C-alpha cells in the first residue's frame, strides 16, 4: 500500500523514495516489492574537527534539505568520525554541541557559532548533543523523503584526505584502531535503527597507503583489506541486518577491480558472497576526481576497468557482480568547470551506467578546516552562507538535469 501511495504522487522525489529494507540482486539494489533503488545526491560532512554536521550556523536543517529536494535529489551521504563514538562510549555520554564548538573554535568563536546554530535551528534544545544533531538531520530526511547513507569518513576527526599522512589512511595506522572502528560501526548501525531514512552504511572512506613515517608495519594488500572489511561488515550486519553495506576500494577508493575480477596480479582474495551472512547486502563504492584526463572515451574505459565492470555481465574476467555507487565526485563550482571535460564526461557516463552518485560537496563552508575557521568551500553546491547556489548555472544546467536523468524523469 505504502509503495502504491508513493508512486501515485506526482513529484519525482516520491518516485524515488521506496520503502526499505533493500538487498542486492545482481547489479541492482532492490526492496521486497522489487523497486530498484537509484541514488542521486550529495555529501554532507559531519566528520570535521567539531564533529557537528556542517553549516547549521547559516541555515536550518529543513532549509538545506529543501534545497536538495528542489533539484530532485534523494540521498545525502552523511559523514562521521569514529572519534565521536569513542568519546560517547568512553566518556559515558556525548558532548553537547556548545562544548563541542568551544573545545575546537575557542571560547569566543565557539560560543558565537553555537548561538548562531541555535538561532537558525530553534527546535534544538540548548543541551543538544552532536549525535542528536545527526538524529535531527535523519528525521528531517525521513520527513522530506531523502535517504541517509552513513559514511565512516575518518577515525580522528578532521579534514580528509589530501594526503596519506593524516594517520587515518589504513587499518592499524596511527589513529586507525581497528577494534574501535568495528565498535563504532556497530554503534552507529544500532543507533541508526531509529532513523527511518537510513538505508545503507559504508565501512570506510578512501583507504590508502600511509606515508612511510606513519606506517606501523600493517601490510597494504587485498588480504588485509578483505579480513578487515568483512569483519567491519559483520559488525554492521549484526547490529542492524537491514542495511546495505558499502565497500570501498584501495588507492583513495579508485581501485576496485581486485574485488570482482581475478585478471589482476596481486589479487589474493576470493570474494565469495555466498559465504557471507550479508552476501546480499554488499554494494561497491568508487570515487573519481579530475586527474587531467580530458579524453572521455579513455576516461570511461579506465573507470570501467577499475570499477564499473563490477556491474557485469559476468565473464571470465568478472567473477562476481555487484551494485556500484559513485559516492564522491566533484569540482569547483564555477561555470567553466561544469562544462569542462571531467564534469561533462561523468554527467553523461553515470546515468548511462544506471548507477547512483553523491557529489562532493553540499556546503559552502566548514566550521573549521585544516585549522582555518569558517573555511570557504569553493566546491560547495551552496554559497558560503548556505543560502543560494554558489554557481546557479552549474546547478540548473548541469546537476539538476543529471539528477533527472539518473532517476529516470
Ligand atoms: C536538555 O534540555 C531539555 C530542555 O531544554 C531538558 O528537558 C532535558 O532534561 C535536558 N537534558 C539534559 C541531559 O540535561
Ligand atoms: C586488519 O589489519 C591489520 C593491520 O592493521 C592486520 O594486522 C590484520 O591482520 C587485519 N585483519 C584481518 C582479519 O585480516
Ligand atoms: C580518445 O581516446 C580514444 C581511445 O583511446 C582514441 O581512439 C581517440 O582518438 C581519442 N580522442 C582524441 C581526441 O584524442
Ligand atoms: C574567530 O572569528 C573571527 C571572525 O568572526 C576570525 O577573524 C578569527 O580569526 C577567529 N579566530 C580564530 C582563532 O580562528
Ligand atoms: C525533469 O524532468 C521533468 C519531466 O520530464 C521535466 O518536466 C523537468 O523540467 C526536468 N527538470 C530538469 C531540471 O531537467
Amino acid at each position: 500500500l505504502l509503495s502504491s501511495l508513493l508512486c501515485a504522487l506526482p513529484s519525482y522525489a516520491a518516485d524515488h523514495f521506496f520503502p526499505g529494507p533493500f538487498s542486492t540482486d545482481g547489479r541492482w539494489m532492490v526492496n521486497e516489492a522489487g523497486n530498484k533503488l537509484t541514488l542521486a545526491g550529495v555529501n554532507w560532512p559531519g566528520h570535521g574537527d567539531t564533529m557537528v554536521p556542517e553549516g547549521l550556523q547559516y541555515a536550518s536543517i529543513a532549509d538545506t534539505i529543501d534545497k536538495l529536494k528542489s533539484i530532485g535529489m534523494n540521498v545525502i551521504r552523511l559523514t562521521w568520525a569514529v572519534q565521536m563514538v569513542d568519546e560517547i562510549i568512553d566518556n559515558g555520554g556525548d558532548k553537547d554541541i556548545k562544548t563541542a564548538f568551544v573545545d575546537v573554535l575557542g571560547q569566543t568563536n565557539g560560543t558565537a557559532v553555537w548561538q548562531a546554530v541555535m538561532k537558525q535551528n530553534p527546535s534544538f534544545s540548548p543541551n543538544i548533543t552532536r549525535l542528536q544533531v545527526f538524529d535531527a538531520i535523519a528525521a528531517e530526511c525521513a520527513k522530506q523523503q531523502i535517504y541517509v547513507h552513513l559514511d565512516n569518513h575518518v577515525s580522528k576527526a578532521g579534514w580528509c584526505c589530501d594526503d596519506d599522512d593524516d594517520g587515518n589512511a589504513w587499518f592499524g595506522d596511527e589513529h586507525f584502531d581497528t577494534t574501535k572502528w568495528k565498535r563504532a560501526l556497530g554503534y552507529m548501525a544500532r543507533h541508526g535503527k531509529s532513523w527511518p531514512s537510513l538505508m545503507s552504511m559504508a565501512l570506510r572512506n578512501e583507504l590508502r597507503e600511509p606515508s612511510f613515517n606513519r606506517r606501523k608495519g600493517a601490510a597494504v594488500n587485498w588480504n588485509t583489506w578483505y579480513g578487515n572489511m568483512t569483519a567491519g561488515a559483520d559488525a554492521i550486519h549484526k547490529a542492524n541486518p537491514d542495511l546495505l553495506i558499502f565497500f570501498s576500494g584501495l588507492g583513495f577508493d579508485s581501485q576496485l577491480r581486485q574485488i570482482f575480477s581475478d585478471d589482476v596480479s596481486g589479487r589474493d582474495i576470493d570474494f565469495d558472497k555466498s559465504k557471507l551472512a550479508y552476501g546480499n547486502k554488499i554494494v561497491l563504492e568508487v570515487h573519481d576526481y579530475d586527474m587531467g584526463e580530458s579524453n572521455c572515451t579513455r576516461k570511461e574505459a579506465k573507470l570501467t576497468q577499475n570499477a564499473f565492470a563490477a556491474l557485469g555481465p559476468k565473464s571470465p574476467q568478472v567473477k562476481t557482480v555487484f551494485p556500484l555507487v559513485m559516492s564522491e565526485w566533484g569540482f569547483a563550482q564555477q561555470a567553466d568547470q561544469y562544462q569542462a571535460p571531467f564534469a561533462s564526461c561523468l554527467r553523461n557516463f553515470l546515468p548511462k551506467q544506471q548507477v547512483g552518485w553523491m557529489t562532493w560537496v553540499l556546503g559552502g563552508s566548514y566550521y573549521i578546516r585544516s585549522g582555518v575557521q569558517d573555511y570557504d568551500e569553493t566546491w560547495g553546491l551552496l554559497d558560503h552562507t548556505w543560502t543560494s547556489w554558489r554557481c546557479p548555472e552549474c546547478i540548473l544546467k548541469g546537476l539538476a538535469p543529471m539528477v533527472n536523468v539518473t532517476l529516470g524523469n
Side-chain angles (χ1 to χ4, degrees), residues 240-262:
N240 186 342
D242 283 348
L243 297 176
L244 292 169
I245 304 172
F246 282 34
F247 283 61
S248 56
L250 299 193
F252 296 82
D253 198 14
S254 66
Q255 301 155 16
L256 282 75
R257 190 165 183 85
Q258 280 84 348
I259 303 170
F260 59 84
S261 176
D262 59 4

Side-chain angles (χ1 to χ4, degrees), residues 254-387:
S254 66
Q255 301 155 16
L256 282 75
R257 190 165 183 85
Q258 280 84 348
I259 303 170
F260 59 84
S261 176
D262 59 4
D263 68 356
V264 261
S265 64
R267 185 190 201 266
D268 40 15
I269 55 169
D270 181 20
F271 203 120
D272 185 351
K273 288 199 252 181
S274 69
K275 291 188 187 139
L276 302 167
Y278 47 84
N280 67 346
K281 296 288 187 184
I282 301 171
V283 176
L284 303 187
E285 62 175 318
V286 64
H287 291 179
D288 194 41
Y289 288 103
D290 187 0
M291 298 295 170
E293 176 58 86
S294 59
N295 182 325
C296 191
T297 310
R298 252 195 329 253
K299 180 176 184 58
E300 291 186 1
K302 262 185 228 159
L303 285 170
T304 302
Q305 168 79 10
N306 292 336
F308 285 73
L311 295 166
K314 248 184 166 168
S315 70
Q317 288 76 42
V318 178
K319 280 186 63 169
T320 320
V321 168
F322 296 87
L324 177 74
V325 169
M326 186 173 278
S327 52
E328 280 189 28
W329 67 283
F331 53 91
Q333 290 291 297
Q334 46 194 67
D336 61 339
Q337 289 296 308
Y338 94 88
Q339 294 167 322
F342 172 77
S344 306
C345 190
L346 285 185
R347 195 156 55 239
N348 178 49
F349 179 69
L350 295 176
K352 204 168 63 187
Q353 299 297 313
Q354 297 181 277
V355 303
W357 48 267
M358 296 96 164
T359 188
W360 188 275
V361 61
L362 169 61
S365 55
Y366 302 94
Y367 303 121
I368 182 170
R369 170 173 148 184
S370 310
V372 179
Q373 295 195 16
D374 200 26
Y375 187 104
D376 188 49
E377 173 55 279
T378 54
W379 290 37
L381 303 187
L382 297 173
D383 60 12
H384 189 91
T385 61
W386 296 54
T387 308

Side-chain angles (χ1 to χ4, degrees), residues 118-263:
M118 299 307 289
K119 186 159 172 248
Q120 293 293 341
N121 294 272
S123 64
F124 286 2
S125 74
N127 56 15
I128 190 170
T129 66
R130 297 172 297 186
L131 190 54
Q132 285 169 349
V133 173
F134 282 79
D135 291 341
I137 290 177
E140 184 63 30
C141 284
K143 192 171 152 199
Q144 298 214 37
Q145 302 201 322
I146 296 258
Y147 293 108
V148 174
H149 168 69
L150 254 187
D151 171 69
N152 174 232
H153 213 69
V154 287
S155 288
K156 184 180 192 303
W159 177 249
C160 180
C161 320
D162 284 339
D163 57 31
D164 46 18
D165 207 26
D166 65 1
N168 283 310
W170 185 253
F171 311 104
D173 197 358
E174 184 174 354
H175 302 301
F176 193 164
D177 178 323
T178 55
T179 304
K180 288 183 171 167
W181 169 66
K182 283 177 279 190
R183 178 177 77 163
L185 290 174
Y187 184 93
M188 291 301 279
R190 202 172 306 112
H191 185 82
K193 282 181 161 181
S194 61
W195 301 353
S197 47
L198 182 68
M199 51 89 199
S200 56
M201 212 171 134
L203 290 164
R204 185 72 168 195
N205 177 63
E206 299 201 354
L207 292 159
R208 58 209 188 275
E209 179 145 20
S211 71
F212 180 76
N213 290 338
R214 300 263 186 178
R215 206 177 307 147
K216 293 278 164 96
V220 177
N221 60 42
W222 287 98
N223 263 332
T224 308
W225 176 90
Y226 186 81
N228 280 284
M229 293 294 264
T230 51
D234 264 326
I236 291 177
H237 189 69
K238 285 205 177 95
N240 186 342
D242 283 348
L243 297 176
L244 292 169
I245 304 172
F246 282 34
F247 283 61
S248 56
L250 299 193
F252 296 82
D253 198 14
S254 66
Q255 301 155 16
L256 282 75
R257 190 165 183 85
Q258 280 84 348
I259 303 170
F260 59 84
S261 176
D262 59 4
D263 68 356

Side-chain angles (χ1 to χ4, degrees), residues 80-100:
W80 60 282
V82 169
Q83 186 184 339
M84 177 176 74
V85 177
D86 291 347
E87 290 173 1
I88 292 173
I89 297 175
D90 298 337
N91 302 342
D94 198 2
K95 268 186 204 178
D96 64 85
I97 63 170
K98 182 176 185 190
T99 307

Side-chain angles (χ1 to χ4, degrees), residues 28-106:
W28 302 106
M29 302 177 269
V30 293
N31 68 4
E32 277 159 24
N35 297 124
K36 286 176 185 163
L37 174 67
T38 308
L39 301 169
V42 68
N43 280 270
W44 190 336
H47 69 279
D49 306 56
T50 67
M51 292 168 265
V52 179
E54 302 290 340
L56 302 173
Q57 82 277 43
Y58 287 126
S60 71
I61 291 171
D63 282 352
T64 296
I65 306 264
D66 280 346
K67 294 193 173 65
L68 307 182
K69 286 299 281 191
S70 77
I71 55 167
M73 285 183 163
N74 72 343
V75 67
I76 59 167
R77 178 176 183 248
L78 185 57
T79 68
W80 60 282
V82 169
Q83 186 184 339
M84 177 176 74
V85 177
D86 291 347
E87 290 173 1
I88 292 173
I89 297 175
D90 298 337
N91 302 342
D94 198 2
K95 268 186 204 178
D96 64 85
I97 63 170
K98 182 176 185 190
T99 307
F101 285 127
V102 167
D103 284 354
V104 175
L105 307 178

